[in-house]
Amino acid sequence: MKRAGFVVIVVIAALALFNLAVQRGMGGFRWDLTENSLYTLSDGARSILGGLSKDIELTVYYSEGASKDLPALRAYARRVQELLEEFEQLSGGKITLKKVDPVPFSEEEDEATAAGLQAIPVGVAGDNVFFGLVGKAGDKEEIIAFFQPNKEQFLEYELSKLIYNLDRAQPPVVGVISSLQINGGFDMYQQSQQPAWIVMQQIEDLFDVRWMPEDFDAVDEDVDVLMIVHPKDLSLQAQLAIDQFVLKGGRALVFVDPNAEQDQPGMPMMAANMPRRSQLDSLLKAWGVNLKENAVLADFKNSMVVGVGQARTPVRHLALLGLAEDSMTQSDIMLAGLESINVSTPGILEKVEGATTSFKPLLTSSDESAPIEESAFANMQNPESLFEKFKATGEQYAMAARVEGPAKTAFPDGIDVTEEVKDEAAQDDPAKDAAEGEGAAPAEPKTVTRHVAPDVIQSDNINVVVIADTDILTDRLWVQVQEFFGQRIASPWANNGDLVVNALDYLAGNPSLINIRSRGRFTRPFEKVDELRRTAEEKFADQQRELQDRLSETEEQLAELQQARQGGDEAGSGVLLTPEQEKALQDFQEEKLRIRKALRDVQHNLDRDIDDLGRQLKLVNILMAPLALTVLALIVMLWRRRGVKKSV
């Protein structure tokens, strides 16, 4: 047994030495056993780091001293710094990491503030806690104002995006195709020139916007993402150009609508009969998406109340929806952190049966929803009339979706294009020119039909985001605009603009950046504990409610008797309570104590299984691990003894 004990000590010492060696001499060796590989960089991040062309300096500002009483933040800070160290290690020397503790009233604190990092006051003294990042590459600078722990699943993406933006020479190019006047124009109804929508101003501040002409037949190679808003009457050439752009790896953000309220005709009297449905069905079908025919989404739970006149009570509009977090896929980077998005007469998106692409909803309705025919909105005077056509189906419908995966062209047989051409021979004929000069009618231009075949028939992976509403872009649904000394001041009250910018920012990124998905959280929930607690609560809920009801009833009766005693005392009657009442008072007080004890027992039973689980885990940690090592040592010892006997 002495020998066995010696072997155990040797094994433990070997493990300790191995751990020390890993920490000091083998810093690049790690074995990530977490469920979602939380400590292993994705292939997309590795690709970005491997292709860096500029030297980048990352400075993380973290208030080590001021955060001493914030254990959760300190734990997250370690995670962030470990990830940054791995970025530095895999960058091939292109990234240099600096760590700064901006103590109060120091130059480092002034630097952090000047860079735009956010400070959070903590403690009685109100010390500022900084936890942000400043990245520099030459004259370019990018920051993360504060690493928010509730967004840690997007940490790798945010860091990769910052590094990619620093390494990129020019801002992303966004090509815009729109049949609506999102960039401003003359309003026939108000007979005045209207400014660009606020969302376009935000986009132009962040991207290089390129407006596509009406007759375009190709998309420039330097365009990173197409933003298509309410496509109508697009030529076959334009549709083929979009088709080929997407199949060749270009990304698209598409806004379609069954009832685009801003689609107004040139003559107001034509508005009633003009269709307001977007026209992109062929391309959508090729991408595996369908905008449900003749359907506007109505949702009672998410519907908003609107005014219908000064003398009338506001009414609920079933197709004017205010979407909160429970209607958004918060695990998606485009929607993370957004709180409210407003849409008006949105459509319903469906996955095409047999589609090879994946269909991932981003915005969904509640289960109190139903489709309503588009015709119900043509001449609607009062939103209350929609209730006559509404009956909830109990289903949830998608209003926005991410579409990815393999896809084929919408034009496998190509297209025929008819063009007008000039008769060059006639232009060079002097006699004909003289005849035309004498009053002869000029020759009509010739038309030529040519066949255009697609260059790319299919793609292994497309990236398209489709949103079934164009009104989501209008100012009225998300921002209040005021004129101030000739300047337009925008005050957002919803996150519509954030969604659009997030989507463009995401789609305009490097393909490797797009492929980085949200990761699991480092701070994992105690799922087993939560399950035990729910089971216990269900088991004892009825008993607890019964005891609470009895306690409330007993306390009411006690209060009545106490009030009677006080009333008799104030009246000076001498007899406060009859002996029967006194005994009842005493019984009620004892009953109250018994009920309270029973409630404590119930609460103890609620936590008993959790406490048992905790004891089991402690037993495993304290006894089982050493026992396992001991068994391993004994096996090694027996194996060695057998080896010695065989050799003898």
Side-chain angles (χ1 to χ4, degrees):
M1 292 302 294
K2 290 183 178 179
R3 188 171 183 177
F6 175 75
V7 172
V8 172
I9 294 173
V10 170
V11 171
I12 294 174
L15 289 173
L17 289 173
F18 177 76
N19 184 49
L20 183 63
V22 168
Q23 290 181 353
R24 296 191 175 182
M26 302 168 61
F29 177 81
R30 296 190 312 167
W31 190 6
D32 189 351
L33 298 177
T34 56
E35 180 180 355
N36 295 314
S37 299
L38 298 177
Y39 295 92
T40 302
L41 288 187
S42 65
D43 293 338
R46 290 174 179 270
S47 175
I48 290 172
L49 294 173
L52 292 178
S53 60
K54 298 180 181 179
D55 291 330
I56 296 175
E57 181 182 275
L58 301 179
T59 305
V60 57
Y61 289 85
Y62 172 57
S63 303
E64 181 76 32
S67 63
K68 62 182 183 297
D69 296 326
L70 303 172
L73 184 64
R74 293 176 69 86
Y76 184 48
R78 285 196 297 273
R79 308 285 196 275
V80 172
Q81 293 180 20
E82 288 170 359
L83 190 59
L84 287 170
E85 289 169 0
E86 185 158 1
F87 271 74
E88 181 184 30
Q89 182 182 353
L90 296 177
S91 67
K94 289 294 186 180
I95 293 178
T96 303
L97 178 63
K98 292 173 57 180
K99 302 175 185 177
V100 176
D101 182 2
V103 298
F105 308 107
S106 65
E107 294 182 2
E108 289 79 8
E109 184 183 44
D110 295 338
E111 291 174 2
T113 303
L117 301 189
Q118 181 181 354
I120 296 179
V122 298
V124 179
D127 293 336
N128 287 331
V129 170
F130 288 89
F131 184 26
L133 180 72
V134 177
K136 294 182 179 180
D139 296 333
K140 294 185 69 175
E141 182 174 294
E142 296 272 340
I143 71 166
I144 295 178
F146 196 90
F147 288 104
Q148 300 180 30
N150 63 341
K151 293 185 179 180
E152 66 177 318
Q153 65 265 45
F154 306 112
L155 176 61
E156 182 184 1
Y157 174 85
E158 292 294 340
L159 291 175
S160 300
K161 184 180 76 170
L162 180 142
I163 292 169
Y164 173 71
N165 288 341
L166 287 171
D167 193 58
R168 186 169 185 157
Q170 301 295 332
V173 178
V174 176
V176 180
I177 304 167
S178 177
S179 63
L180 302 180
Q181 294 183 336
I182 60 176
N183 200 38
F186 189 78
D187 189 326
M188 294 295 296
Y189 289 81
Q190 299 185 20
Q191 291 295 303
S192 64
Q193 192 72 23
Q194 298 299 311
W197 298 1
I198 293 297
V199 70
M200 284 309 306
Q201 295 181 15
Q202 289 191 346
I203 293 172
E204 290 178 339
D205 288 342
L206 298 170
F207 304 94
D208 181 2
V209 175
R210 189 169 302 171
W211 294 91
M212 306 294 292
E214 292 183 1
D215 57 347
F216 74 97
D217 58 5
V219 180
D220 295 337
E221 292 184 357
D222 61 338
V223 172
D224 296 291
V225 57
L226 279 179
M227 178 174 165
I228 306 171
V229 181
H230 192 45
K232 285 187 72 176
D233 302 323
L234 286 178
S235 67
L236 285 178
Q237 282 183 286
Q239 294 183 54
L240 179 60
I242 296 171
D243 173 89
Q244 293 296 286
F245 173 80
V246 170
L247 292 179
K248 290 178 181 179
R251 282 83 68 186
L253 174 60
V254 184
F255 294 87
V256 290
D257 202 321
N259 183 55
E261 297 173 30
Q262 297 301 313
D263 187 3
Q264 303 292 348
M267 302 300 291
M269 66 282 298
M270 300 170 58
N273 300 319
M274 189 190 76
R276 296 179 178 177
R277 179 183 171 86
S278 302
Q279 300 167 350
L280 202 67
D281 294 339
S282 297
L283 287 177
L284 290 178
K285 184 178 180 181
W287 297 336
V289 187
N290 176 51
L291 177 64
K292 190 175 178 66
E293 189 73 26
N294 191 28
V296 172
L297 179 61
D299 184 347
F300 178 79
K301 181 178 179 181
N302 290 317
S303 61
M304 302 173 71
V305 175
V306 298
V308 288
Q310 293 183 351
R312 299 174 62 184
T313 304
V315 299
R316 189 167 294 278
H317 194 319
L318 290 173
L320 181 61
L321 311 181
L323 306 178
E325 294 180 10
D326 57 354
S327 295
M328 309 178 201
T329 305
Q330 288 287 326
S331 59
D332 194 284
I333 188 67
M334 290 183 289
L335 292 163
L338 303 189
E339 297 178 354
S340 64
I341 293 173
N342 300 325
V343 296
S344 183
T345 61
I348 297 173
L349 296 179
E350 302 171 321
K351 182 175 181 177
V352 173
E353 185 177 354
T356 55
T357 52
S358 64
F359 180 90
K360 301 176 182 177
L362 298 175
L363 299 176
T364 54
S365 68
S366 74
D367 56 5
E368 300 180 33
S369 307
I372 293 180
E373 293 184 1
E374 298 170 20
S375 57
F377 299 87
N379 297 301
M380 184 181 68
Q381 301 296 324
N382 188 339
E384 281 187 310
S385 62
L386 297 176
F387 281 91
E388 299 174 4
K389 307 175 184 295
F390 176 77
K391 183 178 181 181
T393 63
E395 297 182 33
Q396 291 181 285
Y397 300 90
M399 290 169 277
R402 179 206 297 274
V403 181
E404 297 174 331
K408 295 182 179 180
T409 177
F411 307 98
D413 299 326
I415 60 173
D416 292 327
V417 179
T418 302
E419 298 175 327
E420 292 184 353
V421 297
K422 295 180 180 179
D423 188 347
E424 296 182 359
Q427 288 181 346
D428 297 333
D429 188 348
K432 186 170 183 177
D433 290 343
E436 289 181 359
E438 295 175 0
E444 294 183 359
K446 291 185 176 181
T447 59
V448 175
T449 299
R450 61 186 178 90
H451 184 75
V452 180
D455 297 329
V456 180
I457 299 300
Q458 64 181 23
S459 170
D460 293 335
N461 187 44
I462 66 170
N463 281 283
V464 177
V465 173
V466 183
I467 299 177
D469 187 42
T470 58
D471 305 299
I472 190 174
L473 301 171
T474 59
D475 296 350
R476 70 183 181 90
L477 286 186
W478 70 280
V479 66
Q480 182 179 8
V481 183
Q482 295 179 326
E483 295 286 341
F484 185 75
F485 291 102
Q487 298 292 324
R488 301 179 74 213
I489 308 299
S491 302
W493 52 277
N495 296 119
N496 295 26
D498 298 324
L499 170 61
V500 177
V501 170
N502 286 355
L504 288 174
D505 191 34
Y506 174 81
L507 291 170
N510 183 296
S512 297
L513 189 62
I514 291 177
N515 290 330
I516 299 176
R517 293 289 179 263
S518 62
R519 313 295 293 276
R521 299 180 66 86
F522 290 101
T523 51
R524 306 293 299 279
F526 293 100
E527 295 177 356
K528 184 63 176 177
V529 171
D530 291 340
E531 181 183 351
L532 288 173
R533 189 176 300 279
R534 285 194 299 270
T535 302
E537 287 175 353
E538 291 174 2
K539 181 178 179 181
F540 296 106
D542 292 339
Q543 183 180 355
Q544 192 170 19
R545 279 195 296 270
E546 181 182 350
L547 289 171
Q548 288 285 7
D549 292 341
R550 285 175 54 194
L551 180 61
S552 299
E553 183 180 346
T554 301
E555 288 178 338
E556 290 178 3
Q557 292 171 332
L558 274 172
E560 291 176 3
L561 289 173
Q562 292 285 6
Q563 187 176 5
R565 169 185 283 178
Q566 292 174 0
D569 189 27
E570 291 173 359
S573 61
V575 180
L576 301 180
L577 292 175
T578 65
E580 291 79 7
Q581 290 175 323
E582 285 286 359
K583 187 176 186 309
L585 179 61
Q586 184 177 358
D587 290 343
F588 282 136
Q589 289 173 338
E590 292 175 355
E591 177 69 8
K592 178 180 177 180
L593 294 176
R594 283 194 298 270
I595 294 174
R596 291 176 63 87
K597 181 179 183 302
L599 279 171
R600 287 195 298 270
D601 291 341
V602 170
Q603 188 62 48
H604 175 72
N605 290 331
L606 282 172
D607 298 330
R608 183 178 55 196
D609 291 340
I610 297 173
D611 294 338
D612 290 344
L613 176 62
R615 282 192 290 271
Q616 293 171 13
L617 293 175
K618 289 178 182 178
L619 181 64
V620 170
N621 290 330
I622 296 172
L623 297 179
M624 296 304 293
L627 182 60
L629 286 173
T630 303
V631 171
L632 178 62
L634 290 173
I635 292 173
V636 172
M637 182 183 68
L638 293 173
W639 178 76
R640 292 186 61 185
R641 281 184 178 180
R642 287 186 178 183
V644 171
K645 287 181 180 180
K646 286 183 180 181
S647 62
V648 173

